[in-house]
Amino acid sequence: MEYLATIGVLIAIYVILSSSYDLIIGYGGLSTVAHPIFFAIGAYTAGLLAIHSSLPAPLNVILGGMAAMVASVLLAASALRVSGDYLLIASLGFQLGLLQLIKNLDFTGGPGGLTAIPGTVTGAARTPFFLVVSGLLAVATVLGIRAIVTGPYGRAITAMRDEELAFTALGRDATSMKIVIFAIGCGIAGTAGGVYAYYFQYISPDQFEVLQSAAILTMVVLGGMGTTFGPVVGAILLLAIPRAITFLNLPPSIMAPTQGIIFTVLVLLFLFLRPAGIVGLSRKTL
Amino acid sequence: MTAVLRTEDLCKRFGGIVVSDSVNLTIDRGEILGLIGPNGAGKTSLFNLISGVLRPDSGSIYLNGEAIDAAALYRRARLGIARTWQNMLLFRTMTVLENLLIAPRSYPGESILRVAFARAAVREAERHARDRAMTTLARMGLEQTASEMVVDLPFGQQKLIGLARTLMNDGPVLLLDEPMAGVEGAAYETMQRVVREEAEAGRAVCVVEHNVSFIRDLCSRAVFMANGKILQDGTVAELIASSALTELYFGV
């Protein structure tokens, strides 16, 4: 049960990450590979505050999200001033540079990471508690993003992605809109990081490597980029199915590669069968 | 009478190519100014300079007497410089109505804070914009296309939608870049009527157009451009009568 609940928490956190990533790349049309580092900023901020301050845990999680948001605004505002393509390069540099910094600073625990983050909730109720909290956050994220991308705001996002020049010449500030979308997405990732730190009580730099964005991107693409529930389906499938075989009691030397193979086969299968994603409709195949 | 829009010694060059060579242009309230000249004369570049897509190397642009040189593209649109595009630049994945709803000059539903905290105001603005969009479409007899995807419409109707979208910006200046190119039949008549109505309502309209009969029917004054320079500014009849210009333009 404990194992299942942990997967549940992990799925909820990845639903938050993939949904917020989809907001940025799918809806916003912005290229970034820095999602893991904003996840890390939230995790480290919340973790450090939990260790060194006596602030309440929910506040620390929120502060983690806000730290990620502030960092993302600084990155996007400077990169988008140049051009949209520059954001991809800047995000890569930011991702690699900041993670390198985290690995080499003392107060972040260096390569060993941050250990002994206070648990806040203890005893038998701990895992169910985190399952509920992360689950509610995931639901709030998906519904919140849905509220953004439907209605007038979503219409403006679509117009910006369709034809940015015409959009701007109609009096819309595309750059500000991109920064807002980027900041919301990264802030959500940071919040997820805070919950992650509190739940696992241990974070290390290798959990936030740039390759994480490939995993999150796969969830988004597989589920359906630019759809509300696509990233949810993608996160659940790619986390749950490879782990389902852990109940077969295979030795670890076989288990790990098999999980990788299942992940890869799933991705290839769906890319052939549903190129627009599982949730993506045929309207995408215009 | 002060001009609604005035450019003063507007210069722009790309390397050795001069697209705007000390251009002084005025457009008055209620006027439809024709802008003609051969391809590459700098007509569209002039629109780009006025609307803010391009920054001039030197010179100034005044809207109702005030310099707007520092204002970015989106700010000039909010000040009321509305324009269309040669290739329309419609929002291709959206319906006709949605295309129009992106175009009003101010729109509270596109502020994330208002969407979150002032939903009633957003709904009210949305209703108001829908009414205006439907009225604009009705003027062109296109109200029944409102919920169709814009790319599914015939070309002439897409051109009209491009104009309708621009008209959602109710500002004082209207710049039309080849509104008649590829347009014929009923759409042609509609385009002509609507442009005339807009000028009668007091807008300063400038039209880049190769269709000389359109210019002759609509414009009292026209400007002839070549190589980034204004060669002549006068009545349409004068321009057409000028043999030197006819030679440049038509090559006869």
Side-chain angles (χ1 to χ4, degrees):
Chain A
M1 265 328 279
E2 180 74 17
Y3 178 67
L4 275 183
T6 300
I7 293 180
V9 173
L10 214 54
I11 286 177
I13 283 171
Y14 273 89
V15 164
I16 299 172
L17 287 176
S18 57
S19 294
S20 55
Y21 199 43
D22 188 33
L23 173 69
I24 297 171
I25 60 164
Y27 287 103
L30 300 168
S31 312
T32 168
V33 291
H35 223 51
I37 202 68
F38 291 110
F39 183 47
I41 290 174
Y44 273 93
T45 305
L48 286 168
L49 285 170
I51 293 169
H52 300 295
S53 82
S54 51
L55 295 173
L59 181 63
N60 290 340
V61 171
I62 292 169
L63 287 172
M66 284 173 62
M69 190 180 263
V70 170
S72 71
V73 170
L74 293 178
L75 176 68
S78 49
L80 290 173
R81 197 193 301 271
V82 186
S83 87
D85 304 325
Y86 197 73
L87 182 63
L88 178 61
I89 300 159
S91 75
L92 181 62
F94 186 70
Q95 162 77 36
L96 297 175
L98 191 58
L99 199 64
Q100 205 51 242
L101 201 62
I102 289 174
K103 281 178 188 166
N104 287 290
L105 286 176
D106 279 337
F107 74 95
T108 56
L114 217 51
T115 51
I117 297 168
T120 55
V121 185
T122 49
R126 183 162 200 279
T127 308
F129 171 81
F130 273 97
L131 193 57
V132 170
V133 167
S134 57
L136 286 177
L137 263 180
V139 171
T141 299
V142 173
L143 293 182
I145 289 175
R146 205 167 83 116
I148 291 172
V149 299
T150 54
Y153 199 80
R155 189 171 60 218
I157 295 175
T158 309
M160 178 187 75
R161 216 180 41 216
D162 269 7
E163 205 59 77
E164 188 174 331
L165 182 58
F167 178 74
T168 312
L170 288 167
R172 271 59 179 174
D173 185 355
T175 307
S176 301
M177 186 164 226
K178 286 178 186 171
I179 294 172
V180 168
I181 294 168
F182 193 68
I184 293 173
C186 294
I188 294 173
T191 311
V195 176
Y196 183 88
Y198 268 105
Y199 179 65
F200 289 99
Q201 296 176 268
Y202 163 67
I203 46 176
S204 73
D206 55 349
Q207 293 158 338
F208 308 102
E209 291 285 355
V210 66
L211 271 176
Q212 277 284 324
S213 15
I216 304 170
L217 177 66
T218 310
M219 293 171 184
V220 174
V221 173
L222 189 81
M225 199 189 269
T227 63
T228 310
F229 296 106
V232 179
V233 174
I236 293 173
L237 277 184
L238 288 184
L239 284 174
I241 294 183
R243 279 176 182 74
I245 62 157
T246 47
F247 295 102
L248 297 176
N249 284 323
L250 298 169
S253 59
I254 298 176
M255 181 88 77
T258 313
Q259 285 184 336
I261 289 167
I262 292 178
F263 184 95
T264 314
V265 168
L266 272 178
V267 170
L268 291 176
L269 204 62
F270 280 114
L271 288 188
F272 276 110
L273 296 178
R274 301 289 307 228
I278 297 166
V279 176
L281 298 175
S282 51
R283 69 181 168 83
K284 292 273 173 187
T285 58
L286 281 172
Chain B
M1 183 158 83
T2 55
V4 174
L5 190 91
R6 183 164 66 85
T7 72
E8 194 177 85
D9 292 327
L10 218 50
C11 292
K12 177 76 184 176
R13 56 164 66 233
F14 294 109
I17 300 164
V18 183
V19 294
S20 187
D21 188 353
S22 292
V23 169
N24 292 290
L25 187 80
T26 59
I27 316 171
D28 293 329
R29 191 182 140 79
E31 175 183 44
I32 305 175
L33 174 70
L35 188 51
I36 56 178
N39 287 326
K43 308 182 295 293
T44 296
S45 293
L46 185 57
F47 274 13
N48 286 341
L49 287 166
I50 294 171
S51 60
V53 177
L54 292 176
R55 292 280 159 156
D57 297 332
S58 62
S60 285
I61 301 161
Y62 299 89
L63 180 66
N64 288 319
E66 289 192 33
I68 55 165
D69 302 297
L73 173 62
Y74 78 92
R75 288 207 177 278
R76 291 189 196 184
R78 287 188 192 169
L79 289 171
I81 297 180
R83 69 167 291 179
T84 63
W85 309 84
Q86 252 174 67
N87 45 358
M88 299 179 286
L89 303 186
L90 295 173
F91 304 123
R92 301 180 56 79
T93 65
M94 295 165 67
T95 67
V96 169
L97 182 63
E98 286 169 338
N99 262 271
L100 265 64
L101 290 176
I102 293 296
R105 270 202 279 175
S106 86
Y107 207 74
E110 291 166 25
S111 150
I112 196 84
L113 290 175
R114 292 220 184 89
V115 168
F117 301 115
R119 298 194 78 88
V122 168
R123 261 197 305 276
E124 174 62 23
E126 179 80 1
R127 200 182 53 75
H128 184 72
R130 265 169 208 274
D131 287 349
R132 256 196 60 212
M134 290 311 291
T135 309
T136 308
L137 288 175
R139 279 175 68 191
M140 304 180 179
L142 292 174
E143 65 273 33
Q144 78 285 356
T145 66
S147 54
E148 285 184 48
M149 296 303 290
V150 72
V151 286
D152 292 339
L153 296 183
F155 186 79
Q157 292 191 357
Q158 289 192 26
K159 286 287 258 204
L160 285 173
I161 299 303
L163 176 64
R165 184 178 71 176
T166 303
L167 294 184
M168 292 294 285
N169 180 328
D170 56 359
V173 177
L174 191 56
L175 308 175
L176 305 176
D177 200 347
E178 300 203 19
M180 305 315 291
V183 178
E184 25 181 51
Y188 187 102
E189 304 293 325
T190 309
M191 187 77 80
Q192 203 163 28
R193 175 174 52 78
V194 171
V195 171
R196 188 175 280 137
E197 284 170 4
E198 288 301 315
E200 281 163 3
R203 288 216 219 208
V205 184
C206 185
V207 189
V208 165
E209 188 52 66
H210 288 293
N211 185 322
V212 175
S213 67
F214 183 82
I215 295 282
R216 195 168 41 209
D217 291 348
L218 239 56
C219 307
S220 47
R221 189 165 70 93
V223 162
F224 188 96
M225 275 187 89
N227 300 322
K229 250 190 181 59
I230 291 185
L231 296 185
Q232 195 168 345
D233 182 344
T235 67
V236 178
E238 280 169 8
L239 257 65
I240 292 172
S242 162
S243 58
L245 299 186
T246 320
E247 197 173 311
L248 254 175
Y249 193 14
F250 300 106
V252 289

